[in-house]
Amino acid sequence: MQAIVQTRYGAPDVLHLEQRPTPVPKQDELLVRIEASPVTAADTMMRRGIPYYGRLFLGLLKPRQTITGTGFSGVIEATGSAVQQFTVGEHVMGESVLNAGTHCQYVCVAQHDVISRKPENISHAEAATLCDGPVTSFHFLHRLGEVQAGHRVLINGAAGSLGSAAVQLAKGAGATVVGVCSTKNHEFVRSLGADEVIDYHLADPLNTGDTFDLVYDTIGNFSVARALTVLRADGRFLSPVLSLSLLKSMLFSRLRGNRQVRFSATGLLPATERLEILQRVARLTAEEKLHISISGEYALSDIVAANTVVDSGHKRGNIVVRP
């Protein structure tokens, strides 16, 4: 099969297309023919080996898993003898975080891992992205932030994969949503349901005189100390991007009162929890309460270009590759 391979950390040009043996499913595994796989900010951070402490999981000097990619959507080609939950020909989606990579033509996934049937009303490209922005933002807003009707929520990076999902999820919970994005994405973010939009080129989103119940920094470039000043008395600052300053703020925020700083590595949650969240966001897409935006589809051979777009920090919605 064709696969995107990385044998060292670095810029997009460390990625190259190779022929690899097609995997054979074990007794409890499914062989999935991949139709689409996302290229995410998390993927590009793993490609660079940054932050460095992430290499404890990925490989200290070079990637332990040489095929890149984590999310996928595709069709079951074969099943192991012990598989009972799925059958050949079913359309499925899921995630493989620290196991086999998904920027390739085939992947083997255990039947009890993060894999679920694809909603019929969305494409494989859309389904492939669900474990990125939608699952992560659902976890942060609903489980860590406990978003609810009447909350005022500030979302930084509102046009990206996490942000575009977060705008819809917060709005669906009855919150008032303020999105932060560039000028070119104003209408897009408003179309997702944002009540207000702040152009970060023209105004400081942390210096508008406004206060919030939740600040969700999907990019990780807000000053945590400054963000705490715009939180209401029991507000929460949420970010999926771990840094030393965020870690310090998490520890000290517990000593300073009710304002809290929260982080979670969603991809490292137990598979049962991630699967539950995936199935919940899948239901939202099936009910057309959550819409997925795809701004670019690339062939596997164009993986460098796809990574370059994600590295720019200015992608709208999601980027996917197709074998």
Side-chain angles (χ1 to χ4, degrees), residues 11-161:
D13 61 6
V14 302
L15 304 173
H16 57 279
L17 193 64
E18 273 191 15
Q19 286 292 134
R20 287 291 180 93
T22 299
V24 177
K26 298 176 183 176
Q27 283 190 336
D28 66 337
E29 289 183 337
L30 319 165
L31 175 67
V32 178
R33 184 184 77 245
I34 294 176
E35 294 291 333
S37 178
V39 180
T40 70
D43 289 332
T44 62
M45 292 175 70
M46 288 189 283
R47 186 203 71 224
R48 288 176 283 152
I50 293 175
Y52 290 112
Y53 49 76
R55 299 189 185 192
L56 294 173
F57 303 96
L58 303 174
L60 291 178
L61 302 179
K62 61 182 181 180
R64 189 177 298 116
Q65 168 54 252
T66 57
I67 297 178
T68 63
T70 54
F72 67 89
S73 183
V75 182
I76 298 175
E77 286 276 296
T79 62
S81 59
V83 172
Q84 298 180 337
Q85 297 185 23
F86 298 91
T87 58
V88 171
E90 286 191 290
H91 292 232
V92 293
M93 60 190 180
E95 185 176 41
S96 178
V97 176
L98 296 177
N99 299 313
T102 60
H103 290 157
C104 54
Q105 291 179 298
Y106 296 91
V107 67
C108 283
V109 183
Q111 66 173 334
H112 298 297
D113 209 334
V114 185
I115 183 168
S116 182
R117 292 170 180 84
K118 181 183 77 67
E120 293 182 358
N121 65 323
I122 63 174
S123 68
H124 280 292
E126 293 166 326
T129 72
L130 291 188
C131 282
D132 182 36
V135 164
T136 300
S137 289
F138 188 98
H139 174 58
F140 270 82
L141 290 175
H142 283 280
R143 300 178 68 176
L144 302 184
E146 299 179 4
V147 65
Q148 56 190 269
H151 273 176
R152 192 165 178 83
V153 180
L154 179 68
I155 298 173
N156 187 32
S161 177

Side-chain angles (χ1 to χ4, degrees), residues 65 68-69 71 108 115 145 185 210 226 245 298 300:
Q65 168 54 252
T68 63
C108 283
I115 183 168
N185 288 321
D210 204 351
R226 291 189 61 221
S245 64
Y298 295 79
L300 274 182

